[in-house]
């Protein structure tokens, strides 16, 4: 098994629980357009870019909008989302995340963020975690969304680490697929029954340490 020399992290749902805010903001948009958005439907939006998410939601509601209308609705959703994010503090960082990143630093394992979000830097600043990542690949940089491997390949290239020496932490099906397409180890954060393509699935970082990752690789 190749050694792990870098860990690349998704943001939403891995570092911080912003999924609830995305859901509230998308649901309000759907309600404004005259239909509802269920939690199950929202699950399909995880890891998916803002404009692609909007397309999925419009298809769910059977609503058609002009290109201008789509941009306006997406911008409205983002304003609402960022308003909700204002209530976040460093305490909203998911349990165990900081400790895990500290362990990586002590072991000289490189760190990067690979997120579809265009708000990644704003969110990391809010939770005071910007300094934990040596590179940030976000929705402003990628041209192809997850499940395309671009986001994680760019992260590995920034860190000058070969993809086979990278592990990716992801809570979304599309994100796990992106990691696997990049030729990286994929650690799913969530449930095995959902993240079926991940190499390893853990519920979160609370009881997960670097030693667990390294011993899995050499198993
Ligand atoms: C992903 C989220 O990380 O970022 C998606 O899982 C979200 O739900 C996407 O749509 C884009 O985020 P943003 O912040 O650019 O609208
Ligand atoms: Mg995510």
């Amino acid at each position: 098994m190749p050694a792990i020399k870098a860990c690349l992290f998704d943001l939403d749902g891995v570092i911080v629980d912003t999924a609830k805010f995305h859901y509230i903001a998308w649901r309000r948009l759907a309600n404004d357009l005259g239909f509802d958005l269920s939690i199950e439907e929202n699950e399909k939006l995880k890891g998916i870019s803002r404009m692609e998410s909007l397309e999925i939601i419009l298809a769910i509601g059977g609503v058609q909008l002009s290109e201008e209308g789509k941009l306006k609705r997406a911008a409205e959703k983002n304003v609402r989302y960022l308003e909700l994010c204002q209530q976040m503090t460093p305490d909203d960082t998911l349990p165990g995340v900081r400790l895990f990143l500290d362990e990586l630093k002590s072991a000289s394992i490189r760190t990067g963020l690979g997120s579809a979000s265009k708000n990644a830097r704003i969110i990391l600043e809010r939770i005071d975690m910007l300094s934990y990542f040596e590179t940030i690949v976000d929705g402003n940089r990628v041209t192809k969304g997850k499940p395309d491997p671009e986001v994680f390949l760019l992260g590995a290239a920034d860190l000058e680490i070969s993809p086979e020496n990278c592990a990716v932490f992801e809570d979304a099906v599309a994100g796990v697929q992106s990691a696997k397409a990049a030729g990286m180890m994929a650690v799913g954060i969530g449930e095995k029954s959902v993240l079926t393509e991940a190499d390893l699935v853990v519920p979160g970082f609370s009881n997960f340490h670097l030693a667990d990752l390294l011993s899995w690789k050499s198993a």
Side-chain angles (χ1 to χ4, degrees), residues 12 22 45-50 53 115-119:
D12 297 308
H22 278 297
L45 308 176
K46 284 190 179 169
I48 306 295
S49 75
R50 195 181 308 164
S53 298
S115 169
S117 174
K118 292 187 170 177
N119 297 306

Side-chain angles (χ1 to χ4, degrees), residues 24-37:
I24 293 169
W26 281 131
R27 194 173 180 200
R28 277 195 214 158
L29 179 143
N31 291 169
D32 288 349
L33 293 171
F35 62 99
D36 203 7
L37 185 71

Side-chain angles (χ1 to χ4, degrees), residues 72-137:
K72 186 173 151 272
R73 292 289 179 176
E76 275 172 16
K77 180 267 173 180
N78 196 49
V79 168
R80 282 173 176 164
Y81 171 68
L82 288 177
E83 269 169 20
L84 292 162
C85 286
Q86 299 258 346
Q87 54 190 272
M88 267 182 349
T89 71
D91 288 344
D92 289 297
T93 309
L94 285 167
V97 166
R98 277 170 209 273
L99 187 62
F100 188 75
L101 279 152
D102 286 340
E103 287 182 350
L104 295 181
K105 194 170 184 187
S106 303
S108 300
I109 292 179
R110 314 289 307 275
T111 54
L113 192 92
S115 169
S117 174
K118 292 187 170 177
N119 297 306
R121 281 177 188 273
I122 298 175
I123 304 292
L124 286 176
E125 265 171 38
R126 268 221 83 77
I127 58 170
D128 201 16
M129 290 222 44
L130 206 46
S131 63
Y132 280 79
F133 300 97
E134 294 171 73
T135 183
I136 291 175
V137 184

Side-chain angles (χ1 to χ4, degrees), residues 10-14 16 18-19 46-48 115 146 169-172 175:
D10 174 45
L11 174 69
D12 297 308
V14 171
V16 63
T18 43
K46 284 190 179 169
I48 306 295
S115 169
K146 298 170 186 178
F169 294 83
E170 256 295 348
D171 70 317

Side-chain angles (χ1 to χ4, degrees), residues 53-82:
S53 298
L54 177 66
E55 295 288 356
I56 294 171
I57 292 166
L58 294 177
I60 289 169
V63 173
Q64 291 193 337
L65 293 178
S66 64
E67 283 312 305
E68 199 191 342
K70 285 178 191 171
L71 290 173
K72 186 173 151 272
R73 292 289 179 176
E76 275 172 16
K77 180 267 173 180
N78 196 49
V79 168
R80 282 173 176 164
Y81 171 68
L82 288 177

